Amino acid sequence: MKAPYPIAIVSLGSATPEDISMRAYGKLQAADEIYCLGEAAHRIVAALPEGTVLAQRCQILEIPMSSDRTEAIRYYEQLATRLLDQQGRGLACSVVTIGDAGTYATVQYLVDLLRQAGAAMEVVPGIPYYIAAAAAVGEGLVRQDESLLVLSKVASESQLREALVQGHTVVVMKLSRCADIVREVIAEDNNDFIYAEHLGNPALELLTSDRETLLTRQSIPYFSLIIVRPSRSIPQ
């Protein structure tokens, strides 16, 4: 009996179609069914070479996004059941997500469910958004003996300040959950930063190291992040 096709969890990287890996692209080409976690993921797939053909195999799934993950987990349970059924019928399935599937990605709930079910699966990595943000301004994140701390949330101003005093470059993902705390530190302390929102979406993208721009933003969207470091200058 032929072994089932592994369910592929495919990272699309930081919303720039040219930046996805050849491995990721190959998984999409080989897929019978492609499940896109959100409209942004579908937009990237459609913009790839042969994107028109690939888009015909896509289903867009809007996963509920909130601090209470109950609905999201229920959604992933239903998706896992569907994927296991399709794998059992000999179909090749890919689930695509923006960013990197292993870096603060809700798709990890699905990975856990598939692993618990004993499914054959493969996770394809991608470029995380904070890597892309630093590269977009021509900056490396860390050098030599510097260290990098990646957080999904900052609980207090003292937590962020302590990390910076210790010499860490700090990445805060999902910035909207703690924007007031981070902006207070930026306002009071002389730290360099890179702020990014909707990276890779030309209509909405903002990438800046200007303190006034960040501090006067009326709202910080869900798709945002900040890189804060204690000393090194960042190009304006």
Side-chain angles (χ1 to χ4, degrees), residues 8-62:
I9 310 299
V10 179
S11 304
L12 297 176
S14 56
T16 302
E18 294 84 358
D19 286 346
I20 79 163
S21 68
M22 293 297 293
R23 179 180 167 195
Y25 184 47
K27 290 297 177 184
L28 299 182
Q29 288 179 304
D32 297 304
E33 299 283 348
I34 301 171
Y35 295 94
C36 300
L37 300 184
E39 180 61 42
H42 180 261
R43 185 177 64 250
I44 296 170
V45 172
L48 293 170
E50 300 182 22
T52 302
V53 174
L54 294 175
Q56 293 173 355
R57 305 176 202 160
C58 289
Q59 295 186 44
I60 304 174
L61 307 178
E62 294 296 345

Side-chain angles (χ1 to χ4, degrees), residues 49-110:
E50 300 182 22
T52 302
V53 174
L54 294 175
Q56 293 173 355
R57 305 176 202 160
C58 289
Q59 295 186 44
I60 304 174
L61 307 178
E62 294 296 345
I63 306 299
M65 304 300 290
S66 69
S67 297
D68 182 354
R69 305 310 296 154
T70 304
E71 287 300 316
I73 292 173
R74 185 178 297 117
Y75 202 108
Y76 279 125
E77 288 172 345
Q78 295 171 354
L79 178 57
T81 299
R82 189 187 313 177
L83 289 167
L84 290 168
D85 174 69
Q86 291 182 322
Q87 185 178 59
R89 292 190 286 114
L91 297 177
C93 296
S94 289
V95 180
V96 296
T97 183
I98 59 175
D100 175 68
T103 307
Y104 294 122
T106 59
V107 75
Q108 278 297 311
Y109 291 112
L110 178 64

Side-chain angles (χ1 to χ4, degrees), residues 36-234:
C36 300
L37 300 184
E39 180 61 42
H42 180 261
R43 185 177 64 250
I44 296 170
V45 172
L48 293 170
E50 300 182 22
T52 302
V53 174
L54 294 175
Q56 293 173 355
R57 305 176 202 160
C58 289
Q59 295 186 44
I60 304 174
L61 307 178
E62 294 296 345
I63 306 299
M65 304 300 290
S66 69
S67 297
D68 182 354
R69 305 310 296 154
T70 304
E71 287 300 316
I73 292 173
R74 185 178 297 117
Y75 202 108
Y76 279 125
E77 288 172 345
Q78 295 171 354
L79 178 57
T81 299
R82 189 187 313 177
L83 289 167
L84 290 168
D85 174 69
Q86 291 182 322
Q87 185 178 59
R89 292 190 286 114
L91 297 177
C93 296
S94 289
V95 180
V96 296
T97 183
I98 59 175
D100 175 68
T103 307
Y104 294 122
T106 59
V107 75
Q108 278 297 311
Y109 291 112
L110 178 64
V111 172
D112 292 342
L113 290 167
L114 294 173
R115 184 179 295 112
Q116 291 166 12
M121 58 176 293
E122 177 182 1
V123 178
V124 181
I127 300 173
Y129 274 86
Y130 61 89
I131 299 290
V137 295
E139 280 285 318
L141 282 172
V142 287
R143 302 174 184 173
Q144 298 175 337
D145 59 349
E146 297 174 350
S147 58
L148 179 67
L149 179 62
V150 183
L151 303 171
S152 65
K153 185 179 180 180
V154 173
S156 66
E157 293 175 29
S158 61
Q159 178 191 10
L160 179 54
R161 286 195 172 101
E162 182 179 354
L164 293 168
V165 167
Q166 292 175 352
H168 299 300
T169 292
V170 181
V171 174
V172 183
M173 308 287 287
K174 307 180 188 300
L175 180 61
S176 60
R177 302 197 299 172
C178 55
D180 290 343
I181 291 172
V182 174
R183 289 202 282 191
E184 191 66 28
V185 173
I186 295 297
E188 295 180 2
D189 300 354
N190 187 30
N191 296 302
D192 295 321
F193 69 90
I194 302 169
Y195 170 72
E197 63 183 53
H198 295 290
L199 196 63
N201 184 338
L204 300 173
E205 180 178 290
L206 173 64
L207 184 65
T208 185
S209 299
D210 180 70
R211 190 169 265 93
E212 187 67 19
T213 298
L214 174 62
L215 297 180
T216 57
R217 298 292 290 169
Q218 291 190 347
S219 63
I220 302 296
Y222 179 83
F223 289 110
S224 62
L225 65 87
I226 195 167
I227 304 166
V228 189
R229 57 174 144 239
S231 58
R232 215 182 331 137
S233 179
I234 298 173

